[in-house]
Amino acid sequence: MADGSDTTLTAGIKTFATGHGGAKAVIEYVGKRGARIVLVGQDGEWTDQFAAGGTDVARKACEKAGVEVENEWERELMDQMRPSNDLWRSMSRRSMAR
């Protein structure tokens, strides 16, 4: 399996969902490069995957993995997300540009 292939993408989505008690996805268009799939697990953990080829490839991968795709960021889904300690540490090192 080549990195970035549909099979690899589907497997990564399925693995995350299985490890976090299920998941929901939000797909964001990134232009000609493809689409970003943000996965939010039932336990609040989240990650993202990249689908080269666009939103149709991303939707198909989520469907094959058995992950529901939300049409947009709903408040309940955002409230469910729990930032990791690593993310908090990385944000604390950043300085705001003026």
Side-chain angles (χ1 to χ4, degrees):
M1 282 186 292
D3 188 35
S5 72
D6 292 352
T7 307
T8 303
L9 180 62
T10 302
I13 293 168
K14 186 179 274 188
T15 299
F16 178 82
T18 302
H20 296 280
K24 290 188 178 181
V26 176
I27 298 172
E28 300 172 340
Y29 178 68
V30 188
K32 292 181 181 179
R33 293 182 45 208
R36 177 182 183 215
I37 306 168
V38 181
L39 299 166
V40 181
Q42 291 299 315
D43 61 358
E45 293 291 321
W46 63 277
T47 190
D48 59 356
Q49 302 273 340
F50 187 78
T55 58
D56 55 336
V57 172
R59 285 188 181 279
K60 189 180 293 184
C62 289
E63 182 181 321
K64 286 181 181 178
V67 172
E68 180 183 347
V69 176
E70 297 287 327
N71 289 326
E72 60 185 35
W73 284 104
E74 298 288 339
R75 182 181 182 95
E76 293 81 18
L77 187 59
M78 290 176 62
D79 287 345
Q80 184 178 335
M81 292 178 77
R82 194 182 57 203
S84 68
N85 289 334
D86 291 338
L87 180 61
W88 284 117
R89 277 192 290 278
S90 73
M91 289 189 310
S92 71
R93 289 189 295 261
R94 295 181 187 161
S95 61
M96 300 296 281
R98 293 181 190 211

